[in-house]
Amino acid sequence: MTAGQLLRTEPSAQPQRVRHSTPPAALQADIVPSYPPPESDGDESWVWSQIKAEARRDADAEPALASFLYATVLSHASLDRSLAFHLANKLCSSTLLSTLLYDLFVASLADDPSVRAAAVADLIAARSRDPACAGFAHCLLNYKGFLAVQAHRVAHVLWAQGRRALAVALQSRVAEVFAVDIHPAATVGRGILLDHATGVVVGETAVVGDNVSILHHVTLGGTGKAVGDRHPKIGDGVLIGAGATVLGNVRIGRGAKVGAGSVVVIDVPPRSTAVGNPARLIARKKGEEVMPGESMDHTSFIQQWSDYII
């Protein structure tokens, strides 16, 4: 019996979770590269092969996880089916069944190649930017920020299709399980890292560009009195530090940085840093090309901002 057949068992009053009584046979550990070669950045098959290799290695090293790794990764033919299976089991409830969610996620991922490509870009982003990320499989299975963003992508597709009640129900369930609240109408780019992710809130008309990194307890919200287009627009390559709040229909320019704990209610020009409460602007040095959303450099602005020396 395949994993898909096991998933489609008769519904019960309790959340359905797949159980495999027989762990897979021991597999020889593969040598897994720490990151993909540049020419493979968008290669879904390459990333999927790394995930399977890491899962085999971990199943050999830790028998207690063998059944979980087989059910979630090794029994599936593709990344999109593995991701759909994992999200369905994470997000199911007694009234929102895993069978329904699995079919929903599989259909959305199969019908929209851009959603699959964005998931691969997000995996690569986490693996390359977060030194605590032990591998692609580690991110796929354990990073709630990654999982929350992938669920949002499906909710966004549903919202665009006019299935708004289901999109909002999925948003609510993601907020309950992952403590990440992204409105399904919000537009989110690819190569996104929600590092730690707890407490991230993204409003309805917010736009997040490509290769953006956002730390925990960040709010991209409204001012509380505006209507219509009322949420921030985050450019490509932006880094937003932990606990930062960006309010209103303001623009954070390409390659800008928002310091931890800052409150931003004005536009931030490209390649600038906003820090403080209320935030003040610090210009970036000319010729500085590194994108903070990719470098994860949180502190280079301090010498310009303060003469405090430790």
Side-chain angles (χ1 to χ4, degrees), residues 106-289:
V106 165
S108 296
L109 290 164
D111 293 344
D112 194 338
S114 67
V115 175
R116 298 199 306 274
V120 172
D122 294 348
L123 283 166
I124 293 171
R127 184 69 183 95
S128 61
R129 296 177 208 166
D130 184 0
C133 185
F136 294 108
H138 177 55
C139 178
L140 171 67
L141 299 174
N142 302 315
Y143 270 37
K144 68 177 185 178
F146 168 78
L147 294 171
V149 171
Q150 308 324 307
H152 163 74
R153 297 191 193 285
V154 175
H156 187 69
V157 170
L158 294 171
W159 184 271
Q161 292 173 344
R163 303 174 69 183
R164 297 191 172 186
L166 182 55
V168 172
L170 184 57
Q171 172 203 3
S172 175
R173 188 63 185 149
V174 170
E176 289 179 42
V177 174
F178 299 132
V180 175
D181 193 357
I182 307 175
H183 193 282
T187 301
V188 176
R190 51 185 288 167
I192 303 300
L193 173 61
L194 297 189
D195 199 359
H196 301 288
T198 299
V200 169
V201 177
V202 180
E204 178 182 8
T205 61
V207 176
V208 179
D210 296 336
N211 301 313
V212 171
S213 292
I214 297 175
L215 275 288
H216 47 288
H217 293 294
V218 164
T219 296
L220 305 180
T223 61
K225 59 183 179 180
V227 295
D229 192 357
R230 61 197 182 279
H231 295 105
K233 310 299 181 283
I234 310 300
D236 296 345
V238 168
L239 172 62
I240 305 180
T245 299
V246 186
L247 298 177
N249 187 13
V250 298
R251 296 187 177 274
I252 310 300
R254 184 176 187 271
K257 185 187 305 184
V258 177
S262 299
V263 177
V264 180
V265 293
I266 58 173
D267 290 350
V268 177
R271 303 285 183 177
S272 299
T273 296
V275 62
N277 181 8
R280 55 176 288 195
L281 299 178
I282 302 172
R284 297 276 293 281
K285 294 179 180 178
K286 291 183 178 180
E288 190 176 7
E289 294 300 328

Side-chain angles (χ1 to χ4, degrees), residues 83-127:
L83 177 59
F85 181 90
H86 191 38
L87 281 173
N89 279 281
K90 283 281 190 180
L91 296 173
C92 66
S93 69
S94 59
T95 54
L96 195 60
L97 300 181
S98 63
T99 50
L100 182 152
L101 290 175
Y102 177 77
D103 290 340
L104 183 66
F105 292 136
V106 165
S108 296
L109 290 164
D111 293 344
D112 194 338
S114 67
V115 175
R116 298 199 306 274
V120 172
D122 294 348
L123 283 166
I124 293 171
R127 184 69 183 95

Side-chain angles (χ1 to χ4, degrees), residues 1-3 6 18-23 67-68 70-72 75 85:
M1 183 177 292
T2 65
L6 283 170
V18 173
R19 295 180 181 273
H20 288 261
S21 57
T22 305
S67 291
F68 167 69
Y70 180 77
T72 311
S75 65
F85 181 90

